[in-house]
Amino acid sequence: QIKESATLTRDVLEQHFSDLKGTLKKLLDERLMSLLQEVDVIEQESIKPLDECQKLIEHGVSTADDLLREGESAVDGDVGQQNEKLCNFTKKALHIQLDSLPEVPSLVDVPCLSAQLDDCLLTILKNQIFRHGTVASRPPVQLEEFVEKPGGILVRWCKVDDDFIPQDYRLQYRKSTASHFEDVYVGSETEFIVLHIDPNVDYQFRVCARGDGRQEWSPWSVPQIGHTTLVPHEWTTGLEGYSLSSRRNIALRNDSQSCGVLYSKAPTYFCGQTLTFRQVPFGIETVGQPDRRDSLGVCVEQQNGYDSLQRDKAVCISTNGAVFVNGKEMTNQLPAVTSGSTVTFDMEVVQLGPCNEGGNFKLRVTISSNNREVVFDWVLDQCCGSLYFGCSFSYPGWKVLVF
């Protein structure tokens, strides 16, 4: 691990500084071209009026020279031609203004270009470069635990550097056969359930952190492998009142008039696990219209012909927060289910009787919603190694993810 990480760190450093040198050279070249273009513009704008002034002066001198030659010719001719030539010369001389010149700018008004280059840039760059980059022998956060979930993995991580104050964490994963990691979570929590995990397939995970008030991320933790042996929870297909996602873990109550209970495909919920329902916002209306018959819960077996889980051999919560056990409403009530609400069911066996002799089978049930929970014992007349989950909604717009 030391040699492999050292080799990787060298490669990362060499590539980063190579890219940095290329970027700096490009930026310096662009700045040089910008300044040279600025010199060209000032030169062209400043020299244009001087060139025009020079052309006017040269034209005046040439005109005066031509007039002088014409005057000499008039004087040298015979008497008859002299009068005519002198007359023409005089008329021409009167129309030419030889005593005026264009205004020539004073020397102080003529631009004199120079370049101002402040050496403090080198000092700033030097100080920044000498502080750029660090080499860490250990990352400040490490992966701590993997907990199998149906079709997912609960990943937990922890801070191992006491002096490091984290602001955000960043979790990535990839299949062991894949070449690139991808982000799966960025936030302040120290655990996250990664869904859409194929059972019995190894995945690599790594995590890093960003210090308080910093922009850059810390080094990655040591990659670790996690997997799940639990098949994902799926809703049953074919019920007219519900539309399912491609993975069949999200159910949407559509606008069909048909109603009934949508059950899981199989009894995939086992005691000791946590079953989670999450209300997913859908469209403009974040949730559908509530109804007292609405239900989210678990049951011993599928029973058709009911429009709610508020029946025998089932425990559930209604969208208004009422809790039902075997069809009877409890006095304790949870908050109403709204957009983004998460409802969890946890069960453990507290008493196991001789089921084949009609004994009682007692489960300790905890239902949590919006940071509140109710705990009660659910007494059944049969042993249940696994349970179905289900939902029922009277009106369209409800969209539930199960995991």
Side-chain angles (χ1 to χ4, degrees):
Q1 177 175 312
I2 294 176
K3 289 185 176 181
E4 182 181 352
S5 62
T7 300
L8 179 61
T9 301
R10 290 189 190 97
D11 293 341
V12 169
L13 287 171
E14 289 174 357
Q15 184 63 48
H16 173 77
F17 276 86
S18 176
D19 294 342
L20 197 60
K21 285 190 285 187
T23 302
L24 283 174
K25 184 180 183 305
K26 181 181 178 183
L27 292 173
L28 288 172
D29 289 344
E30 289 177 354
R31 181 56 180 164
L32 175 59
M33 290 301 299
S34 174
L35 291 172
L36 291 175
Q37 289 174 0
E38 193 173 337
V39 171
D40 292 341
V41 170
I42 295 175
E43 181 185 25
Q44 293 172 7
E45 292 179 349
S46 302
I47 207 168
K48 183 178 179 181
L50 295 176
D51 286 340
E52 292 176 351
C53 182
Q54 182 178 356
K55 289 177 182 179
L56 288 174
I57 293 174
E58 290 175 350
H59 178 71
V61 171
S62 176
T63 301
D65 190 49
D66 292 341
L67 187 63
L68 180 61
R69 291 192 187 93
E70 190 174 336
E72 290 175 348
S73 175
V75 172
D76 293 341
D78 55 45
V79 177
Q81 292 179 340
Q82 276 184 349
N83 291 333
E84 183 180 354
K85 287 183 177 181
L86 286 171
C87 182
N88 291 334
F89 171 76
T90 303
K91 289 179 180 179
K92 192 171 184 180
L94 290 173
H95 287 87
I96 298 176
Q97 296 180 351
L98 298 177
D99 58 346
S100 64
L101 289 173
E103 183 180 358
V104 180
S106 62
L107 190 60
V108 295
D109 294 331
V110 177
C112 179
L113 278 74
S114 63
Q116 286 76 47
L117 302 172
D118 194 344
D119 289 340
C120 72
L121 175 62
L122 295 176
T123 304
I124 295 172
L125 285 175
K126 182 179 179 181
N127 293 333
Q128 291 293 329
I129 289 172
F130 283 166
R131 292 198 301 266
H132 182 67
T134 57
V135 175
S137 59
R138 289 181 177 84
V141 290
Q142 290 285 9
L143 294 168
E144 184 179 32
E145 184 182 15
F146 297 102
V147 179
E148 294 186 36
K149 295 289 183 180
I153 301 174
L154 172 62
V155 183
R156 292 193 176 104
W157 54 89
C158 62
K159 183 169 71 81
V160 294
D161 184 351
D162 293 336
D163 297 327
F164 184 79
I165 302 175
Q167 174 180 304
D168 291 307
Y169 297 99
R170 181 182 179 188
L171 178 67
Q172 290 189 335
Y173 84 128
R174 70 178 180 186
K175 276 188 177 181
S176 293
T177 56
S179 57
H180 298 290
F181 283 91
E182 60 180 276
D183 286 343
V184 69
Y185 172 76
V186 175
S188 59
E189 300 295 329
T190 56
E191 65 178 37
F192 183 75
I193 297 179
V194 184
L195 299 176
H196 311 321
I197 295 293
D198 296 328
N200 303 307
V201 174
D202 286 342
Y203 288 81
Q204 273 195 329
F205 294 86
R206 65 182 186 180
V207 68
C208 65
R210 181 163 48 196
D212 189 21
R214 305 296 293 270
Q215 293 297 320
E216 70 277 6
W217 292 99
S218 74
W220 290 105
S221 66
V222 177
Q224 295 189 38
I225 292 177
H227 70 276
T228 183
T229 59
L230 304 175
V231 297
H233 291 316
E234 293 183 12
W235 298 103
T236 299
T237 59
L239 190 61
E240 185 179 346
Y242 294 87
S243 304
L244 305 183
S245 63
S246 59
R247 289 181 175 267
R248 297 180 292 279
N249 60 341
I250 299 178
L252 169 66
R253 179 66 167 94
N254 56 38
D255 55 5
S256 170
Q257 297 300 316
S258 175
C259 62
V261 178
L262 176 66
Y263 293 101
S264 57
K265 179 181 178 182
T268 52
Y269 175 63
F270 297 88
C271 293
Q273 297 179 357
T274 297
L275 177 69
T276 303
F277 298 98
R278 180 172 296 160
Q279 168 58 36
V280 182
F282 174 70
I284 299 175
E285 298 295 334
T286 55
V287 293
Q289 181 181 341
D291 187 275
R292 64 179 309 276
R293 296 168 297 172
D294 295 341
S295 56
L296 287 166
V298 296
C299 56
V300 174
E301 57 192 13
Q302 296 180 350
Q303 291 186 13
N304 298 322
Y306 289 90
D307 61 359
S308 175
L309 280 175
Q310 299 168 16
R311 60 168 175 78
D312 189 34
K313 297 184 179 180
V315 293
C316 66
I317 176 177
S318 177
T319 50
N320 62 11
V323 177
F324 291 84
V325 182
N326 290 333
K328 297 180 180 179
E329 184 175 354
M330 296 181 61
T331 55
N332 294 336
Q333 186 162 330
L334 292 170
V337 178
T338 57
S339 176
S341 289
T342 297
V343 178
T344 62
F345 286 75
D346 291 274
M347 298 189 186
E348 60 177 337
V349 178
V350 293
Q351 180 180 329
L352 182 61
C355 296
N356 55 351
E357 298 178 5
N360 290 332
F361 182 74
K362 186 185 294 185
L363 297 176
R364 179 72 43 81
V365 181
T366 302
I367 305 178
S368 302
S369 176
N370 293 336
N371 297 319
R372 288 179 57 187
E373 64 180 31
V374 294
V375 182
F376 55 90
D377 288 340
W378 183 22
V379 180
L380 298 169
D381 59 3
Q382 64 187 93
C383 295
C384 296
S386 59
L387 297 165
Y388 289 88
F389 57 86
C391 70
S392 65
F393 299 100
S394 300
Y395 297 98
W398 293 94
K399 188 177 182 181
V400 179
L401 165 68
V402 61
F403 58 92

